[in-house]
């Protein structure tokens, strides 16, 4: 307990000194690596809780890789020993870090949002550089219905060049063809000039 005249640091130091003189086996019962997870909580088996949680997770293919990995790490915490569970968790983390496209995308989004919205120096540096016709490039992610509509809206307004990207090369090709046919139709009808 921290006394009124003692800082938190001083209290922590006092506690560490007190613990350092205790026999080694005194705190063994407090070590988490030596404890086991109770087999059931409130009458529900741990495996059943994981199975229940699994039902509410998004599919792996639709952004749920990391959520499934978290659940797998939790499941191993009560199925394996502490050391084996830590090794499994490390392997799951490394797999998400080095091999997961979703993991890369989440990290990219995180840093893009952070650099675009939280940095006041970044806003000052780009102040006055508003997007104007003929100044700057526009990137549209996804060549589906929404991506096509966004690209067409910018092109109609006279902005460009526009870079359209999609993970599916056939979808990208179809999107570009659709945009071209719509714009060519508008030129033929006199609504737009080439």
């Amino acid at each position: 307990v921290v006394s009124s005249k003692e800082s938190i640091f001083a209290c922590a130091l006092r506690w560490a000194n007190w613990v350092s003189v205790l026999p080694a086996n005194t705190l063994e019962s407090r070590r988490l690596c030596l404890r086991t997870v109770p087999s059931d909580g409130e009458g529900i088996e741990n495996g059943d809780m994981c199975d229940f949680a699994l039902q509410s997770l998004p599919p792996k293919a639709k952004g749920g890789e990391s959520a499934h990995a978290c659940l797998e790490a939790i499941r191993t915490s009560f199925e394996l020993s502490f050391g084996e569970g830590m090794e499994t968790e490390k392997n799951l983390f490394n797999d998400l870090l080095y091999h997961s496209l979703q993991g890369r995308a989440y990290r990219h989004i995180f840093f893009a949002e952070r650099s675009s919205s939280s940095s006041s120096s970044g806003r000052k540096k780009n102040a006055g550089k508003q997007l104007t016709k003929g100044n700057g490039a526009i990137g549209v992610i996804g060549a589906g219905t929404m991506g096509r509509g966004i690209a067409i809206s910018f092109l109609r307004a006279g902005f460009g060049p526009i870079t359209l990207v999609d993970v599916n090369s056939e979808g990208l090709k179809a999107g570009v063809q659709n945009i071209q046919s719509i714009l060519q139709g508008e030129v033929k009808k006199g609504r737009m000039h080439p």
Side-chain angles (χ1 to χ4, degrees), residues 89-123:
E89 186 174 339
K90 180 180 87 171
N91 292 338
L92 288 166
F93 176 81
N94 285 333
D95 186 49
L96 290 171
L97 181 63
Y98 297 116
H99 307 295
S100 169
L101 292 177
Q102 289 178 20
R104 283 185 183 173
Y106 283 133
R107 286 189 301 279
H108 178 76
I109 290 169
F110 170 79
F111 287 112
E113 286 178 347
R114 187 172 176 181
S115 68
S116 68
S117 64
S118 66
S119 169
S120 62
S121 63
R123 285 193 295 269

Side-chain angles (χ1 to χ4, degrees), residues 9-183:
F9 178 75
C11 178
L13 190 58
R14 184 172 47 83
W15 172 257
N17 287 330
W18 178 74
V19 168
S20 68
V21 297
L22 292 174
N25 63 354
T26 304
L27 298 177
E28 288 296 311
S29 66
R30 294 178 57 99
R31 290 181 182 243
L32 292 178
C33 63
L34 300 177
R35 299 177 87 181
T36 58
V37 176
S39 63
D40 73 19
E42 300 176 12
I44 303 171
E45 290 293 322
N46 292 329
D48 294 338
M49 284 193 289
C50 286
D51 293 338
F52 179 75
L54 186 63
Q55 295 172 9
S56 64
L57 295 181
K60 281 186 178 181
K62 297 201 176 202
E65 278 184 3
S66 58
H68 282 265
C70 288
L71 188 62
E72 182 63 26
I74 291 169
R75 187 182 296 272
T76 60
S77 73
F78 51 83
E79 290 179 351
L80 303 176
S81 69
F82 182 81
E84 293 170 324
M86 292 296 288
E87 185 66 26
T88 300
E89 186 174 339
K90 180 180 87 171
N91 292 338
L92 288 166
F93 176 81
N94 285 333
D95 186 49
L96 290 171
L97 181 63
Y98 297 116
H99 307 295
S100 169
L101 292 177
Q102 289 178 20
R104 283 185 183 173
Y106 283 133
R107 286 189 301 279
H108 178 76
I109 290 169
F110 170 79
F111 287 112
E113 286 178 347
R114 187 172 176 181
S115 68
S116 68
S117 64
S118 66
S119 169
S120 62
S121 63
R123 285 193 295 269
K124 288 177 185 174
K125 184 174 71 175
N126 293 324
K129 290 187 177 181
Q130 296 180 358
L131 184 63
T132 57
K133 293 180 183 179
N135 180 18
I138 296 167
V140 179
I141 300 172
T145 304
M146 183 182 280
R148 294 174 192 180
I150 292 168
I152 289 170
S153 296
F154 275 113
L155 289 169
R156 283 179 179 152
F159 291 96
I162 294 179
T163 303
L164 185 65
V165 292
D166 199 296
V167 294
N168 182 345
S169 60
E170 284 125 32
L172 178 62
K173 187 177 178 182
V176 169
Q177 288 174 347
N178 181 265
I179 291 168
Q180 287 173 339
S181 68
I182 288 172
L183 295 178

